[in-house]
């Protein structure tokens, strides 16, 4: 079966799904202690649950913690290991995901795209746009993020399932589909019922540009610096006051400027302050620390301690505490124990007519945590660009080819067992 002849059908289905899903507000909230962190994620989960049932998938479940679980049985007579496909439903809290108003730019001519709200998308800044001359580009209207991360992945998995249901002649093994909440705040698998899985391996559809395959990610820790000042009325503060707000500023300026997200790429790690709050008396700085080498993460936590001690030495009335917490680990070690996973992904990407690109993820995915938990789960591209902000975009052909890559993967997965 030549998938290329079905691209028009897939395009129509996956594009409409994508445009439907991005309009549903699913921003997660790192300050919430609930699971899911926001009730609104159920709005998309219920839509997906209903659409899966409408497709005739026999086993569909929506858990109390907002996981959508679905199982498509193998084609009768096909013997293959089950395999899991995953994508996340939430969008990053970095920018509003409410009232997303996706803009379609048809027959793209390579010029600057006017988003609206005073923002534009310039191919000189984002040259990948020029890969899609003559195609349709989907952007934001400048006021929100788009949510291609990861509603593209959700739409592509749904599109692949729809195709399999419509084409029983396309044989496949048992396929388990999981849509997760709260990936963007690092809790995407916290309440996932692992005992539900029949699969021993999974794939997340949560990568960026076409062809990319990710089997390596950061090792990630969060850190919190709590600064207790010494409070005296400002009118009589000379030589006595220690202002926690000012110390927070000093702490931040002591961080190595060359080890920030904006100063690094490739395999270099960083410190990234993500939130500062406080007043005259007490201030808190939340940071994330990232590196492919976990020893480098530990070294950076040591540097935070050193900065704290040297500020305390300079301001003996201040108390500065540093705490840290592991978030996820680089999944490379465990995935590389199963080289066929990457070989199959590469073959699936090639079968779609793309060149596979192995990229280390400068971030993490649900797959990193799943891999730690014993379900090795590398990441495949979903096709979007500029995640987490108003400049996010995706081209329609990327949605189509990601869906085709899933189908090729499903097919190769059956063949590997024979
Ligand atoms: Zn994502």
């Amino acid at each position: 079966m030549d998938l290329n002849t079905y691209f028009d059908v897939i395009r129509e289905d996956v594009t409409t799904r994508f445009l439907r899903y991005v309009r549903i507000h699913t921003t997660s909230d790192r300050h919430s202690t609930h699971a899911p962190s926001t009730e609104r994620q159920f709005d998309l989960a219920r839509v997906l649950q209903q659409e899966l049932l409408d497709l005739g998938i026999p086993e569909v479940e929506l858990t109390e913690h907002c996981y959508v679980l679905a199982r498509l049985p193998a084609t009768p007579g096909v013997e293959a290991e089950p395999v899991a496909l995953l994508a996340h439903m939430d969008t990053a809290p970095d920018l509003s995901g409410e009232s997303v108003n996706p803009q379609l730019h048809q027959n793209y001519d390579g010029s600057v795209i006017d988003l609206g709200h005073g923002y534009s998308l310039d191919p000189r800044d984002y040259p990948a746009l020029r890969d899609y001359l003559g195609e349709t580009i989907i952007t934001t209207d400048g006021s929100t993020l788009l949510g291609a991360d990861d509603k593209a992945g959700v739409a592509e998995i749904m599109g692949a399932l729809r195709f399999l249901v419509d084409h029983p002649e396309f044989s496949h093994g048992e396929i388990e589909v999981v849509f997760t909440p709260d990936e963007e705040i690092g809790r995407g698998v916290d309440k996932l019922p692992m005992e539900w899985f029949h699969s021993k391996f999974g794939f997340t559809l949560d990568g960026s540009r076409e062809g990319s395959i990710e089997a390596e990610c950061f090792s990630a820790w969060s850190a919190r610096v709590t600064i207790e000042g010494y409070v005296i009325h400002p009118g009589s503060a000379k030589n006595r006051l220690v202002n926690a707000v000012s110390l927070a500023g000093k702490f931040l300026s002591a961080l190595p400027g060359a080890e920030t997200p904006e100063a690094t790429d490739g395999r270099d790690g960083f410190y990234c302050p993500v939130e500062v709050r406080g007043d005259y008396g007490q201030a808190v700085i939340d940071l994330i620390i990232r590196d492919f080498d976990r020893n480098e993460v530990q070294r950076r936590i040591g540097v935070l301690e050193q900065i704290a001690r040297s500020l305390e030495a300079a301001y003996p009335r201040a108390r500065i505490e540093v705490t840290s917490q592991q978030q996820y680990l680089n999944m490379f070690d465990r995935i590389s124990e199963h080289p066929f996973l990457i070989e199959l992904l590469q073959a699936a990407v090639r079968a779609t007519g793309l060149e596979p690109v192995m990229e280390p993820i400068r971030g993490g995915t649900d797959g990193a945590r799943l891999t730690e938990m014993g379900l090795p789960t590398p990441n495949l591209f979903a096709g979007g660009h500029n995640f987490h902000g108003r400049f996010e975009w995706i081209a329609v052909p990327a949605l189509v080819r990601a869906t085709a890559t899933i189908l090729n993967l499903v097919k190769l997965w059956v063949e590997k067992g024979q």
Side-chain angles (χ1 to χ4, degrees), residues 88 149-150 183-184 206 387-388:
H88 64 90
D149 177 14
D150 186 22
E183 190 272 351
E184 295 290 1
D206 194 13
F387 289 168
H388 297 193

